[in-house]
Amino acid sequence: VAGIVLLRRRKVGGSGDAGSQSLDEGQPVKVLTWREDGTARVFYRGAEWDAELAASETDHDGQFYIKSIHGSILVLTKQKPN
């Protein structure tokens, strides 16, 4: 499903990254596990995704939201983007 969404965005003229108009931005994710390198595995839209923090100093507790998407990696933030 994620691959189809990314391919459709490319066909429409978007880059490989989801732009600032992404419908995914600001959506909450459920963190399944944190890895030692600071990345995470999250559950979003019925599937597991790899994720990284937008700011490395962010603690790993609480709710996270999608700030952006780089390829197939979700970039997370503690504050819900507008």
Side-chain angles (χ1 to χ4, degrees):
V1 174
I4 291 171
V5 171
L6 292 172
L7 286 174
R8 283 188 179 174
R9 286 184 182 155
R10 278 198 185 139
K11 276 187 174 181
V12 175
S15 66
D17 296 342
S20 61
Q21 300 298 320
S22 172
L23 297 176
D24 297 314
E25 288 182 14
Q27 296 299 313
V29 298
K30 178 181 179 184
V31 177
L32 301 174
T33 184
W34 287 102
R35 299 182 186 123
E36 289 183 24
D37 65 358
T39 62
R41 193 74 176 160
V42 302
F43 189 77
Y44 174 65
R45 285 187 164 198
E48 290 187 18
W49 294 69
D50 287 320
E52 60 187 28
L53 294 173
S56 61
E57 66 275 354
T58 304
D59 65 53
H60 294 168
D61 296 326
Q63 180 66 54
F64 287 89
Y65 301 93
I66 299 172
K67 180 177 181 179
S68 62
I69 302 176
H70 294 154
S72 63
I73 307 292
L74 302 179
V75 179
L76 307 179
T77 184
K78 296 286 278 182
Q79 294 204 342
K80 186 173 182 176
N82 295 330

